[in-house]
Amino acid sequence: MKKSILILPIALLVWNIGHAQQKVNYIEIRKDLVKSTCTTTDAEINKQDLANLLALDITNISKGLSEYYYDLGMLYYACFGNKEGQIHLHAYACMKRCVELDKKNGSAYLNLSIMYYFDKNMPLAKEYALLHKKYTRKKYRDNEFLSRIEQK
């Protein structure tokens, strides 16, 4: 009887330690998974980065999930771009998920605005441009793009 009482807590402890080790902080592993930047034009790097992110089990991300979706959205856009006037639907979905998780991510709002602008959806482009302006400090705003949107 004493052995079974001792074995159960030890088994639970081992299971908890193993389960906890699976959790990842995306911010810490980001640089190993994503080599591209917003200006990377090398399609092979973008495709590899996209594959890296898609291989990651997001249920194990304990921190940085909004950043994960931001990067994923950027990579979908970089890989598939504006084909036939339609931004890749996954790029939209990822950026929207990013701002659901981090409502103050001005960069994600800017990217949504740009995507809608290129898709010729001016009402949504303007809506997201306003959110970019609201949540981005003045020195980091894309004033050139904001001016272009305001003229439409």
Side-chain angles (χ1 to χ4, degrees), residues 23-80:
K23 295 294 181 184
V24 295
N25 178 341
Y26 177 72
I27 308 292
E28 291 177 359
I29 63 168
R30 182 186 217 176
K31 66 184 178 308
D32 297 324
L33 297 173
V34 181
K35 305 295 184 206
S36 59
T37 65
C38 62
T39 58
T40 301
T41 56
D42 186 326
E44 290 307 311
I45 291 173
N46 289 331
K47 286 178 185 176
Q48 182 58 55
D49 288 352
L50 181 61
N52 290 345
L53 292 186
L54 291 173
L56 188 62
D57 181 356
I58 63 169
T59 62
N60 290 329
I61 296 176
S62 61
K63 194 172 189 181
L65 193 57
S66 66
E67 289 84 355
Y68 168 84
Y69 279 109
Y70 179 87
D71 290 346
L72 189 59
M74 291 295 288
L75 286 165
Y76 271 125
Y77 184 73
C79 289
F80 300 104

Side-chain angles (χ1 to χ4, degrees), residues 2-152:
K2 287 183 180 181
K3 284 185 180 181
S4 64
I5 293 173
L6 185 59
I7 292 174
L8 182 60
I10 291 173
L12 287 173
L13 179 64
V14 168
W15 182 83
N16 282 335
I17 289 171
H19 186 67
Q21 288 175 343
Q22 293 175 349
K23 295 294 181 184
V24 295
N25 178 341
Y26 177 72
I27 308 292
E28 291 177 359
I29 63 168
R30 182 186 217 176
K31 66 184 178 308
D32 297 324
L33 297 173
V34 181
K35 305 295 184 206
S36 59
T37 65
C38 62
T39 58
T40 301
T41 56
D42 186 326
E44 290 307 311
I45 291 173
N46 289 331
K47 286 178 185 176
Q48 182 58 55
D49 288 352
L50 181 61
N52 290 345
L53 292 186
L54 291 173
L56 188 62
D57 181 356
I58 63 169
T59 62
N60 290 329
I61 296 176
S62 61
K63 194 172 189 181
L65 193 57
S66 66
E67 289 84 355
Y68 168 84
Y69 279 109
Y70 179 87
D71 290 346
L72 189 59
M74 291 295 288
L75 286 165
Y76 271 125
Y77 184 73
C79 289
F80 300 104
N82 191 15
K83 305 268 193 232
E84 299 175 14
Q86 284 291 314
I87 302 298
H88 197 276
L89 295 178
H90 287 304
Y92 280 123
C94 290
M95 283 296 168
K96 286 180 179 181
R97 183 69 180 129
C98 171
V99 296
E100 285 173 7
L101 295 167
D102 179 4
K103 295 191 182 342
K104 296 182 179 181
N105 188 327
S107 295
Y109 289 122
L110 174 63
N111 286 308
L112 279 165
S113 181
I114 290 168
M115 289 189 290
Y116 281 115
Y117 176 84
F118 284 120
D119 252 356
K120 297 177 180 37
N121 186 334
M122 289 309 133
L124 285 175
K126 287 181 179 185
E127 178 183 329
Y128 285 109
L130 289 173
L131 290 166
H132 165 66
K133 194 172 181 179
K134 178 179 180 179
Y135 291 114
T136 305
R137 293 191 326 207
K138 285 183 181 182
K139 68 180 184 177
Y140 296 116
R141 289 181 190 157
D142 188 334
N143 291 314
E144 182 181 331
F145 180 73
L146 290 171
S147 295
R148 189 179 314 164
I149 287 289
E150 289 168 1
Q151 293 171 4
K152 297 285 179 182

